[in-house]
Amino acid sequence: MAGKFSRNFLREVVCRKLRFGGAPACLRRLSTATGSAPSIPHSSKRGRLLTGATIGLVIAGGAYVSTVDEATFCGWLFSATKLVNPFFSLLDPEVAHNLAVSAAARGWVPREKRPDPSVLGLEVWGRKFANPIGLSAGFDKNAEAVEGLLGLGFGFVEVGSVTPIPQEGNPKPRIFRLRNEGAIINRCGFNSEGIVAVAKRLGAQHGKRKMEETTSSSPSSNNELERGGKAGPGILGVNIGKNKTSEDAASDYVQGVHTLSQFADYLVINISSPNTPGLRKLQDRKQLKDLVKKVQAARDEMQWAEEGPPPLLVKIAPDLSKQDLEDIAAVALALRLDGLIISNTTVSRPEPANKNPLANEAGGLSGKPLFDLSTKILKEMEKSLLSDVGVLAVARMHTKRYGLEQLLCSFTQHLRMEDLHLFLR
């Protein structure tokens, strides 16, 4: 392919030279002054040498790339994206976020062609994951870029939070970078296009997946673990929230389940965002129990195929007392909840974030300063759950060490690996 590109480039250069510049200067002189050797300006010689060298480099580079295997070339592309990061850091945080989502939605991001090592494959809730690294809710809030994000190599992607009725969220600015601390404060407040818009996108994605399965001429071998979910090669989670002005939270979550659960490989009830007034009160033992019962009933009353209904998880806050955690664990065990996601952003300002002038901004903090707090909550919940409920850990995986540490803490607490997945925020 690279060789073909080089030939096309050379042909285009020559054609443009003849089209826009007419015949070369030396030919025009020969046509009017035959018998005398044309004089070629020194600058013209230098330009031709430069053009020739450029074409030569393109041809040589193309020839070399054509001999490189796909995995190596894929690695080059991902490394090259680091050159763009400084540009995004100069932009307003929310503008940079929206540009990144748009790029992924349009396929302007690299695609991971290197297969995951088989040792990373796991099966949870009857769903097959290619790897345990995923993208948490909050990035692709409106399911605009599911295919592009899964193509980056994530084992799963979670969209949302999605509210029943479209809402703009809190006033801007509402995202703040704490650069030196590796953290972000946001107070977006469930900005969402609503369940109808998201359902249309996920429905189209689901239909495309089914079409590919139907028309596939090369089914996988019986010995090969076929991974993927309703959205494509990876698993899709749908995170559901409530509208800011809603007086009936349970009704909002039930509406989200009825509309979106058919497209989800798992569902998440988000009751822990600090940016929606009164939302965290739903983590109270009695309110949580009533809410989960209603949502489970709404999910189970729907018609499901062989794979059954999507698993239901609850996303909790990191700012809970030990008694709060025990209450949530008791509800999860009593109602046989499929899993918990630990954790959402924190309203506290752990060191060193508390020393940053932006620490006074209202909103939830995520990133490196949240790591110790969320890991502590993860360990506490594992003790209370006795490995009977799946746990998904949310962490900013800014280095391999931090990602692996949250995975390894599960082993020290005897939590099965298939019950722990690391979300990337």
Side-chain angles (χ1 to χ4, degrees), residues 52 54 64 89 148 171 193 204 223 288 291 312 317 346 361 369 373 392 402:
T54 302
Y64 176 70
S89 67
E193 293 181 11
N223 297 325
L288 177 61
L291 175 63
L312 182 65
T346 178
E361 292 288 349
L373 179 58
L392 297 104
Y402 280 84

Side-chain angles (χ1 to χ4, degrees), residues 135-291:
L135 182 67
S136 71
F139 183 79
D140 187 7
K141 292 175 176 287
N142 298 302
E144 300 173 74
V146 174
E147 187 175 2
L149 294 172
L150 286 172
L152 286 171
F154 289 114
F156 53 105
V157 167
E158 185 179 317
V159 300
S161 294
V162 188
T163 58
I165 301 172
Q167 62 179 31
E168 295 184 0
N170 294 321
K172 299 177 183 179
R174 52 194 181 185
I175 303 178
F176 307 90
R177 295 188 183 105
L178 283 68
R179 298 180 189 274
N180 295 334
E181 293 78 15
I184 282 178
I185 294 174
N186 93 83
R187 52 170 179 260
C188 292
F190 284 171
N191 49 313
S192 172
E193 293 181 11
I195 57 176
V196 174
V198 172
K200 287 180 180 179
R201 293 192 184 106
L202 293 182
Q205 187 73 24
H206 182 59
K208 182 179 178 181
R209 169 72 165 169
K210 288 295 183 183
M211 183 68 70
E212 289 174 351
E213 290 177 352
T214 304
T215 59
S216 176
S217 58
S218 55
S220 58
S221 166
N222 293 332
N223 297 325
E224 182 183 349
L225 179 63
E226 184 180 351
R227 303 181 177 91
K230 294 182 178 180
I235 300 297
L236 175 66
V238 177
N239 186 302
I240 301 170
K242 68 175 284 291
N243 282 110
K244 182 177 181 178
T245 58
S246 174
E247 297 182 359
D248 187 350
S251 176
D252 279 15
Y253 289 107
V254 165
Q255 190 175 349
V257 168
H258 281 159
T259 307
L260 300 174
S261 60
Q262 59 185 313
F263 308 119
D265 292 303
Y266 68 88
L267 289 169
V268 181
I269 304 175
N270 188 351
I271 56 172
S272 53
S273 170
N275 302 313
T276 298
L279 185 69
R280 288 193 169 188
K281 293 180 180 179
L282 296 174
Q283 295 174 117
D284 174 75
R285 183 168 185 163
K286 184 180 184 304
Q287 292 196 59
L288 177 61
K289 189 173 183 178
D290 292 343
L291 175 63

